[in-house]
C-alpha cells in the first residue's frame, strides 16, 4: 500500500461514526477479491463522506429549525433520514430541478422560498458524488479524475465561505452555522468541513500519484468566490 493510501486510511479512521449502517464493518464479500487496498479505502471513504453530510445536515437543521419545522417531519432527525432516503430526482424537483453547485447557489438565492438546508446539503452531496464519478464501489480506482476530486475540495471551501458570509436583504445570514459570540464558541461545523476538505484533497493526490496525472491548482484568491463545475 502506498504512503498516501496509508494517510487516507488514517484519516478515514478519525472520521466520526454517526451510527448509520454504512459506518459499520461489512462482512467479507467475494467482490473484495477483485479490489485493491486503495479501492477498499475509497469504498469506505465515500460511505464516511455520506455520514459527515448527514451530520452536517442535522446540525444545520438544529441551528435553523424553521426549515425542518416547515416540513411534514416531526423532528430534524426524521427530516434528515427522509431526505437521504428519497430518490434524487424527487429532491431535485423540490429545488427547482437543480443539483451540485447549482443547488448550493440556490441555498443563498433571495427568491428561493424552500428548504435552504436541503438545497445546501443536497448540492454538496451530488457535487461530491460527481467527483467520484457517481460510484459507490470502486475497482482499480475506475479511472477517477484527480482534478475533479481536487476541484470538489475547493468547492467545499467556497461553500463554507458562502455559509459564513451570504446574507439576505435584511442583513441576516441565510443559514446560521458556527457560533462565534458568547462565552462558548461552537466550531463543530468547521471541524466537519475540515474533514470533508482533507478527504477530497488526499483522494485527489492518491489518484494523481497512482495514474501519473497532474492536477492544476486553482488560484486561491479567485477560488474563494467561484464554484467550479464538476
Amino acid at each position: 500500500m502506498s504512503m498516501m493510501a496509508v494517510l487516507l486510511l488514517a484519516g478515514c479512521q478519525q472520521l466520526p461514526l454517526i451510527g448509520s449502517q454504512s459506518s459499520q464493518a461489512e462482512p467479507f464479500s467475494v467482490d473484495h477479491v477483485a479490489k485493491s487496498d486503495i479501492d477498499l479505502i475509497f469504498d469506505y471513504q465515500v460511505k464516511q463522506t455520506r455520514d459527515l453530510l448527514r451530520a452536517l445536515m442535522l446540525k444545520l437543521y438544529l441551528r435553523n429549525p424553521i426549515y425542518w419545522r416547515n416540513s411534514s417531519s416531526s423532528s430534524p432527525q426524521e427530516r434528515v433520514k427522509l431526505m437521504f432516503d428519497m430518490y434524487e430526482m424527487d429532491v431535485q424537483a423540490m429545488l427547482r430541478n437543480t443539483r451540485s453547485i447549482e443547488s448550493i447557489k440556490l441555498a443563498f438565492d433571495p427568491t428561493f422560498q424552500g428548504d435552504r438546508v436541503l438545497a445546501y446539503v443536497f448540492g454538496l452531496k451530488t457535487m461530491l458524488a460527481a467527483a467520484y464519478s457517481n460510484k459507490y464501489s470502486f475497482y482499480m480506482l475506475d479511472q477517477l479524475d484527480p482534478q475533479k476530486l481536487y476541484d470538489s475540495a475547493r468547492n467545499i471551501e467556497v461553500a463554507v465561505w458562502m455559509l459564513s458570509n451570504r446574507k439576505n436583504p435584511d442583513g441576516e445570514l441565510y443559514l446560521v452555522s458556527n457560533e462565534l459570540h458568547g462565552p462558548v464558541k461552537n466550531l463543530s461545523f468547521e471541524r466537519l468541513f475540515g474533514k470533508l476538505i482533507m478527504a477530497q484533497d488526499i483522494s485527489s493526490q492518491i489518484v494523481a500519484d497512482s495514474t501519473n496525472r497532474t492536477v492544476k491548482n486553482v488560484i486561491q484568491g479567485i477560488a474563494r468566490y467561484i464554484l467550479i463545475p464538476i
Side-chain angles (χ1 to χ4, degrees), residues 2-21:
S2 69
M3 179 58 68
M4 288 306 300
V6 172
L7 289 174
L8 177 58
L9 180 58
C12 288
Q13 290 175 335
Q14 293 175 7
L15 299 181
L17 298 181
I18 307 302
S20 67
Q21 291 182 349

Side-chain angles (χ1 to χ4, degrees), residues 1-91:
M1 186 185 298
S2 69
M3 179 58 68
M4 288 306 300
V6 172
L7 289 174
L8 177 58
L9 180 58
C12 288
Q13 290 175 335
Q14 293 175 7
L15 299 181
L17 298 181
I18 307 302
S20 67
Q21 291 182 349
S22 62
S23 300
Q24 307 305 315
E26 295 185 356
F28 175 79
S29 168
V30 68
D31 289 343
H32 292 175
V33 175
K35 290 177 177 285
S36 68
D37 289 340
I38 295 179
D39 291 328
L40 292 171
I41 290 171
F42 270 77
D43 287 353
Y44 183 79
Q45 168 76 356
V46 169
K47 292 173 183 176
Q48 288 290 358
T49 295
R50 287 174 63 85
D51 277 349
L52 286 172
L53 291 175
R54 285 175 183 267
L56 172 63
M57 193 176 203
L58 178 58
K59 285 180 177 292
L60 284 173
Y61 276 135
L62 291 173
R63 294 285 281 151
N64 303 271
I66 184 175
Y67 294 112
W68 74 263
R69 287 175 179 165
N70 284 344
S71 71
S72 59
S73 300
S74 61
S75 69
Q77 291 83 358
E78 181 181 307
R79 180 68 171 170
V80 171
K81 184 179 186 305
L82 175 64
M83 292 301 97
F84 270 82
D85 288 347
M86 284 181 65
Y87 288 110
E88 287 190 357
M89 293 299 294
D90 292 335
V91 178

Side-chain angles (χ1 to χ4, degrees), residues 2-12 14 38 41-42 45 132 141 146 149-150 152-154 194-210:
S2 69
M3 179 58 68
M4 288 306 300
V6 172
L7 289 174
L8 177 58
L9 180 58
C12 288
Q14 293 175 7
I38 295 179
I41 290 171
F42 270 77
Q45 168 76 356
Y132 287 100
L141 296 186
L149 291 164
Y150 172 85
S152 68
R154 306 290 75 75
K195 290 174 181 177
L196 284 168
I197 293 167
M198 178 185 68
Q200 298 307 106
D201 276 331
I202 294 178
S203 296
S204 173
Q205 190 61 57
I206 288 176
V207 176
D209 289 347
S210 300

Side-chain angles (χ1 to χ4, degrees), residues 151-165:
D151 290 345
S152 68
R154 306 290 75 75
N155 280 349
I156 297 173
E157 293 175 344
V158 176
V160 173
W161 180 87
M162 295 171 75
L163 187 65
S164 302
N165 291 275

Side-chain angles (χ1 to χ4, degrees), residues 179-190:
E179 178 57 64
L180 301 178
H181 306 289
V184 179
K185 293 181 172 59
N186 177 5
L187 298 177
S188 58
F189 285 92
E190 184 176 296

